[in-house]
């Protein structure tokens, strides 16, 4: 529920520097605490020991269900946050012994349609101690677990929001949603992991800034989280601190700004060097792509011409100013074979450049956000200043009303890969800092709560996205790119039990009156979404229970990310090898071109112009994954029969005992001479495995 409207106290920076970072008790290894998750012998459930010697019977899920055991509702009073409790413990694993030793840490989700990025299956899920222990049918599980009947519902991995700014000190104020309200809103919408940005001031130590952000998040986050770190200045110290963050602080991504001149913006030489260093460290380089020099000039001209309102913001940052920067960032990153992730893709022109560069083999990923996928920039011309200012963000929303649809189509085709929100909210009072000058309006909009509902309504219901593609772009791809996979982004044995049970037949109307953000405005106000979360499970705990919020302040865990994500860097290695410069051996005996042309030149050479016959490099056209059940597969393979047979052909290791994908398997395959950034991505396949498919639209009558 929206509250605290226009409250000055919201502009402070709560808890700044008071606490030390909280150690992660479970260790940095994804699966250190699930030693047998991948063994064919089957998982050794902690509860099994108790089960054998106790009266608790084994339950066969194909038989009658045991009575549901309601999960503990938090009982600690919390005056400040009435619908949550404060988590007093250091970790959710160690101090909640009572929870862990009781049946309440066991959960069975039955009868749902389980959607992963590469499959849709009618299977049950058994969760114990925060981890998915079994996936399949006729599971043999310990008794006394809570049962959730998911009949008629989809069940998919918790959302991963790649882009938030909670309590960001910015433009003379601080974004109003802190790590408590922001993550609560995330959970309400089905997102269980957020990735926020540490943004040091120019000249500030990156480690010091990182520790500040960790303090804010560690005490308050209701959902899991980690950090990208912005490189806002450049020096030897910054280089060393980037290495330190990668080595010892679980950071594997760094963002540079091409905008915010004189504040955060780096020049091209610096950007080149940051990219080169990211590559060396095995990190992902991220870019806020807008030409800050042009924006500065435009702003001065507009203000001089008397345009001071929010429309000036849009006019100062036209689409080609974004597209130019995206292109430049791609060129720079490509010189040093650095993987590039373009945050908040706001325009068709920018998205097209990403698609073109990917088709040329660049390692580049594009992240449209909830705002660019569901609304447009005509709002900047609204007669109400408050309304127009509420939409101010950079890059701006585009006045072209086609933009959201085109970006959604491009997500469906894998021209774009992930979705975030750039959730960075400012109250109307905060936005009013720029009432006489649009350049002073704090930039930022909401979206962390609405992202999944908007993606489902505008993507799946319209058949631009299949349910599997929805999962890919709301969690799996992000998890793969940032090396969180398979801990996050998949429902499989050994993964964190971050699960959403989604009712495709439920409708919700978005409103600032009912949202969980502290902001007094919602840019999606009045939009009706078909499909909404009914249950959200985080680390095995039911935090949205039939729509009732049961979040716990501080329950969220920091999730460290390792460098060199295989999903990204396997391709980079191949590409780098392919493009290694080689000199020409001029022995005087040959005329014409040698056989050492680099691949990027070969494509432009007529076949008979040299000694070697040179195939043109034509990337495979990307097909939309059709939502039509059991669609024909080009090579004639029948992927409609048992899902795991598809896996068997695609993966090299044996499946797990329940038939799940072996998480140690690589997703990388040398399927083409010249792979694009994620040819290894099963989401690119022209078909997905569908078992007892829902058919047609996701709303309306269900199977
Ligand atoms: N995007 C925006 O307008 N605000 C958040 C800061 C940033 O990402 O530029
Ligand atoms: Zn941002």
């Amino acid at each position: 529920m929206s509250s605290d409207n226009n409250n000055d106290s919201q502009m402070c920076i709560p808890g700044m520097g008071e606490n030390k970072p909280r150690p992660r008790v479970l260790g940095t290894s994804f699966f250190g605490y699930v030693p047998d998750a991948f063994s064919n012998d089957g998982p050794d459930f902690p509860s099994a020991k108790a089960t054998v010697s106790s009266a608790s019977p084994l339950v066969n899920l194909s038989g009658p269900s045991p009575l549901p055991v309601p999960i503990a509702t938090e009982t600690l009073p919390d005056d400040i946050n009435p619908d949550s409790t404060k988590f007093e413990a250091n970790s959710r694993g160690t101090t909640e012994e009572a929870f862990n030793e009781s049946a309440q840490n066991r959960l069975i989700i039955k009868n749902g349609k389980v959607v992963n990025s590469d499959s849709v299956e009618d299977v049950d899920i058994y969760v114990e101690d925060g981890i998915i222990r079994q996936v399949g049918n006729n599971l043999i599980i310990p008794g006394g677990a809570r049962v959730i009947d998911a009949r008629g519902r989809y069940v998919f991995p918790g959302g991963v929001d790649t882009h938030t700014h909670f309590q960001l000190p910015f433009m003379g104020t601080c974004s109003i949603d802190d790590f408590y309200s922001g993550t609560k809103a995330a959970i309400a919408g089905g997102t269980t992991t957020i990735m926020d940005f540490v943004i040091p001031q120019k000249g500030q130590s990156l480690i010091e800034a990182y520790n500040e952000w960790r303090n804010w998040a560690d005490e308050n986050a209701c959902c899991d989280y980690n950090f990208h770190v912005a490189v806002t200045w450049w020096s030897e110290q910054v280089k060393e601190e980037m290495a330190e963050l990668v080595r010892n602080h679980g950071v594997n991504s760094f963002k540079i700004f091409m905008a915010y001149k004189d504040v955060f913006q780096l020049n091209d030489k610096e950007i080149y060097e940051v990219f080169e260093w990211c590559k060396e460290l095995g990190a992902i380089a991220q870019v806020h792509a807008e030409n800050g020099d042009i924006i500065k000039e435009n702003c001065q001209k507009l203000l001089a011409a008397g345009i001071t309102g929010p429309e000036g913001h849009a006019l100062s940052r036209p689409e080609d100013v974004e597209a130019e920067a995206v292109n430049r960032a791609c060129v720079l990153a490509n010189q040093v074979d650095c993987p590039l992730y373009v945050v908040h893709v706001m325009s068709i022109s920018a998205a097209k450049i990403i698609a073109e560069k990917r088709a040329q083999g660049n390692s580049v990923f594009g992240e449209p956000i909830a705002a660019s996928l569901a609304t447009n920039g005509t709002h900047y011309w609204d007669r109400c200043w408050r309304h127009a200012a509420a939409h101010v963000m950079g890059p701006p929303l585009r006045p072209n009303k086609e933009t959201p649809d085109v970006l959604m189509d491009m997500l469906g085709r894998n021209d774009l890969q992930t979705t975030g929100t750039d959730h960075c909210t400012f109250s109307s009072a905060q936005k009013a800092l720029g009432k006489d000058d649009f350049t002073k309006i704090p930039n930022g909009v909401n979206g962390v709560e609405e992202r999944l509902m908007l993606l489902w309504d505008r993507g799946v219901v319209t058949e631009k996205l299949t349910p599997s593609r929805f999962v890919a772009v709301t969690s799996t791809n992000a998890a793969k790119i940032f090396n969180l996979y398979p801990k996050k982004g998949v429902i499989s044995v050994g993964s964190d039990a971050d699960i959403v049970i989604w009712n495709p037949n439920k409708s919700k109307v978005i409103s600032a009156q009912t949202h969980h953000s502290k902001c007094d405005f919602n840019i999606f106000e009045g939009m009706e979404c078909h499909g909404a979360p009914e249950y959200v499970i985080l680390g095995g705990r039911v935090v949205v229970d039939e729509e009732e919020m049961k979040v716990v302040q501080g329950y969220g865990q920091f999730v460290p990310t390792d460098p060199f994500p295989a999903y990204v860097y396997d391709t980079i290695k191949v590409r780098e090898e392919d493009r290694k410069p080689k000199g020409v051996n001029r022995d005087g005996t040959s005329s014409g071109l040698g056989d050492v042309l680099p691949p990027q030149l070969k494509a432009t050479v007529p076949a008979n112009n040299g000694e070697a016959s040179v195939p043109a490099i034509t990337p495979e056209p990307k097909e939309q994954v059709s939502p039509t059940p059991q669609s024909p597969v080009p090579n004639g393979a029948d992927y409609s029969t048992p899902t795991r047979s598809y896996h068997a052909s695609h993966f090299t290791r044996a499946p797990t005992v329940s038939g799940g994908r072996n998480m140690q398997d690589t997703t990388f395959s040398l399927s083409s001479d010249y792979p694009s950034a994620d040819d290894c991505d099963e989401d690119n396949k022209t078909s997905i495995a569908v078992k007892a498919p829902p058919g047609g639209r996701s709303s309306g009558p269900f199977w």
Side-chain angles (χ1 to χ4, degrees), residues 163-165 168 197 199 255 257 288 343-344 394 422-424:
H163 192 153
T164 66
H165 299 283
L168 173 69
F197 287 83
I199 306 190
K255 178 167 84 167
F257 291 93
H288 174 133
V343 301
H344 47 42
D422 201 5
H423 185 100
C424 185

Side-chain angles (χ1 to χ4, degrees), residues 108-162:
I108 305 149
I109 301 165
K110 287 186 64 176
N111 305 320
K113 199 164 280 296
V114 175
V115 186
N116 278 318
S117 67
D118 59 352
S119 63
V120 181
E121 298 171 281
D122 292 321
V123 282
D124 300 334
I125 301 168
Y126 175 61
V127 169
E128 190 172 311
D129 289 347
I131 303 292
I132 296 173
R133 305 284 175 175
Q134 295 188 65
V135 178
N137 299 118
N138 306 321
L139 302 181
I140 308 294
I141 56 120
R146 177 178 178 180
V147 179
I148 296 180
D149 187 352
R151 188 174 300 278
R153 314 286 189 268
Y154 288 100
V155 180
F156 49 72
V160 176
D161 188 335
T162 47

